[in-house]
Amino acid sequence: YFPGGPLIASESTAWGRSLSLGTSKAFGWGGNLKLSYDPSYRYSWSQTSTGTSSTSNPYDGTLTATYSQSLLRNFGRIANESRLIVARKTSQAADFNYQLAIINLVANTESMYWDMVYALRNLENKRLALALAEKQLKENRIRVEVGTLAPIEVTSAEASVAQREQEILVAEAQARNAKDALLNMVYADSHKASALEPADAPILVPSPLSAEAAEKMALERRVELKSAQLDLESRQILEQAAGNRLLPQLDAYASYNGNAASQIPSEGLSAVNKDLFGSKYPGYSLGLTFSMPIGNRAAKGSQIQARASRRSSELALRDLRQNISLEVRTAFRNMEAAQKSVKAAEKTRVFREKDLDAEQKKYENGMSTNFLVLSKQNDLDSARAAELQAQIGYAKTITALEKAAGSLLEARKLEVK
């Protein structure tokens, strides 16, 4: 109302709707794509005494697409996905560590199995020794009864029998302990077997591998080396990523901006979409952005730390390779020595059996003494024990060589999945 003028009445209404959709996609090589779609509806209406007016084109909208690419810092997959790559390698290393645990379990189980075999075979040897001592005691008693042997010789034979019986008690306890240990290793408490009997005996079978072939195989197959190699690769990646963060930032970008200018309100949003997706009113922009950090001491410190970590991993891998080569050569020499020891122990046992047999015949003909026969029995018992120890030792060296060469699971036809 203006003084002296006419009185004007007015009424107005305004309302609108808008929608905003957007998405972005980062690429491993350092690129980033952003898309946005923003249609809108804005309507206003007003009425005065002089007339009415309203928005003639209420629909509007924009469509934007922008792609940016890092050219220096954050360029490449290592710079952008280093943590993801390291996580994948860590997962692979965990699989190798699991395989290593299985290999150690198999090797330990075999070692305990051969310990049980030794304990049972040792018990058999002690029973054979007792049988020989009892036979000697029986013959001595007969000789004493006929008056061809002094009674003191019976006492010596009885002492030998008592000693053999004591050795059997010890061997029986060792056999039971070895069985229990293997049962605890193989079975869970709720599914433990009531008895366990050996199926395989120690056999002298030469290894088909040469020392050079075993060493080469170990350097190719040992899971410890594979795990250590993955650790080194991870540290190298982290070092490269740390070095990338020292570079200045240089980004290139390209942008498209589409606008709508529809003059057909009756078509509504479809007219806007025709403008936007038909590129009726396009706009383009290209550019570069550059930034240089001053000092950047944090990045430098991270790079130094990553370099030291990588160097430490390299040295650890080198030491591991040397230790594995030494382990293979040592295992191969132990296997060769054990193989020769088995043959030598077998010859010794055969000669001791012949020696005892000859001494017993001399004793039966009055050309030897009870003391010498008992001594020969002791020698035979020691020879049998030495042969058994050599056989079990050889079986263990075969397991150790296969484990050192990285072929234990393959030799046992086992596969870890």
Side-chain angles (χ1 to χ4, degrees):
Y1 171 73
F2 298 96
L7 180 63
I8 300 175
S10 66
E11 181 182 356
S12 65
T13 302
W15 60 287
R17 294 190 302 268
S18 64
L19 175 66
S20 180
L21 297 176
T23 184
S24 63
K25 169 65 176 177
F27 299 96
W29 53 81
N32 187 71
L33 177 63
K34 293 182 178 180
L35 300 174
S36 64
Y37 170 61
D38 300 284
S40 64
Y41 175 82
R42 292 179 179 86
Y43 179 79
S44 63
W45 172 86
S46 64
Q47 181 179 10
T48 65
S49 58
T50 60
T52 61
S53 63
S54 62
T55 303
S56 61
N57 185 21
Y59 292 95
D60 195 6
T62 59
L63 178 66
T64 304
T66 302
Y67 179 79
S68 61
Q69 174 65 53
S70 298
L71 301 178
L72 293 178
R73 189 196 300 182
N74 298 327
F75 175 76
R77 291 191 176 275
I78 290 180
N80 293 277
E81 298 182 352
S82 58
R83 294 184 181 276
L84 176 60
I85 296 174
V86 169
R88 289 173 178 169
K89 292 184 179 296
T90 302
S91 176
Q92 294 176 1
D95 291 339
F96 287 132
N97 291 334
Y98 175 73
Q99 293 182 31
L100 178 60
I102 297 298
I103 291 172
N104 291 333
L105 177 62
V106 172
N108 292 336
T109 303
E110 283 199 5
S111 178
M112 297 182 71
Y113 172 81
W114 291 124
D115 289 340
M116 183 191 71
V117 172
Y118 170 80
L120 294 176
R121 292 292 183 88
N122 183 59
L123 177 59
E124 293 177 3
N125 289 341
K126 296 304 180 184
R127 287 171 177 169
L128 291 176
L130 175 62
L132 289 176
E134 289 175 340
K135 178 183 178 182
Q136 186 67 22
L137 174 61
K138 182 179 179 180
E139 291 179 356
N140 286 356
R141 285 174 176 172
I142 294 175
R143 288 175 178 271
V144 170
E145 289 176 359
V146 299
T148 60
L149 188 67
I152 189 63
E153 300 296 342
V154 174
T155 304
S156 300
E158 289 176 341
S160 178
V161 170
Q163 180 182 354
R164 300 304 182 192
E165 290 175 345
Q166 181 182 2
E167 291 174 351
I168 286 178
L169 294 176
V170 175
E172 287 177 343
Q174 291 176 346
R176 288 194 297 268
N177 292 338
K179 279 189 176 183
D180 287 343
L182 185 58
L183 284 171
N184 289 333
M185 172 68 74
V186 175
Y187 297 98
D189 293 338
S190 58
H191 302 87
K192 185 177 296 185
S194 59
L196 188 65
E197 297 298 331
D200 296 330
I203 302 176
L204 185 60
V205 179
S207 174
L209 294 175
S210 63
E212 294 76 13
E215 185 175 352
K216 180 180 179 181
M217 181 183 295
L219 296 177
E220 293 175 351
R221 296 189 179 185
R222 287 286 289 267
V223 294
E224 301 97 313
L225 274 178
K226 296 179 180 179
S227 179
Q229 183 63 42
L230 287 173
D231 179 72
L232 174 58
E233 292 173 0
S234 297
R235 295 176 188 270
Q236 289 173 339
I237 289 171
L238 292 176
E239 182 185 9
Q240 294 178 34
N244 180 267
R245 288 191 288 271
L246 292 174
L247 299 175
Q249 189 79 34
L250 178 62
D251 296 340
Y253 67 89
S255 179
Y256 166 79
N257 186 67
N259 295 281
S262 175
Q263 302 295 327
I264 310 175
S266 61
E267 292 187 3
L269 189 59
S270 62
V272 174
N273 292 335
K274 288 180 181 179
D275 289 350
L276 295 182
F277 296 101
S279 301
K280 190 173 182 179
Y281 302 102
Y284 304 95
S285 62
L286 298 172
L288 293 172
T289 59
F290 179 82
S291 63
M292 170 69 77
I294 299 176
N296 206 7
R297 295 181 179 178
K300 292 179 180 178
S302 297
Q303 185 192 37
I304 293 173
Q305 183 178 5
R307 184 184 296 118
S309 180
R310 184 263 305 165
R311 181 58 178 165
S312 175
S313 183
E314 286 180 345
L315 295 175
L317 179 60
R318 185 194 65 183
D319 292 343
L320 181 59
R321 292 178 66 90
Q322 292 177 346
N323 291 337
I324 286 177
S325 296
L326 177 60
E327 180 183 352
V328 172
R329 291 194 297 269
T330 300
F332 192 84
R333 286 193 292 266
N334 290 341
M335 184 271 297
E336 288 184 325
Q339 183 178 1
K340 296 176 182 178
S341 179
V342 170
K343 294 180 179 179
E346 182 181 5
K347 290 181 180 180
T348 302
R349 188 258 308 163
V350 171
F351 290 146
R352 290 300 183 188
E353 288 176 346
K354 294 180 178 179
D355 193 19
L356 174 60
D357 184 64
E359 198 67 34
Q360 286 177 334
K361 290 180 179 179
K362 290 169 60 178
Y363 180 72
E364 292 171 357
N365 294 323
M367 301 175 61
S368 182
T369 64
N370 179 60
F371 174 78
L372 290 177
V373 173
L374 294 178
S375 297
K376 301 298 182 181
Q377 289 180 358
N378 288 333
D379 292 340
L380 176 59
D381 182 53
S382 299
R384 286 173 174 169
E387 182 184 19
L388 178 59
Q389 287 179 343
Q391 292 173 346
I392 298 300
Y394 177 75
K396 288 185 175 182
T397 60
I398 290 294
T399 301
L401 178 59
E402 291 172 341
K403 178 185 175 184
S407 61
L408 181 60
L409 296 183
E410 180 182 353
R412 301 300 178 271
K413 295 181 174 56
L414 298 175
E415 184 178 358
V416 180
K417 295 184 178 179

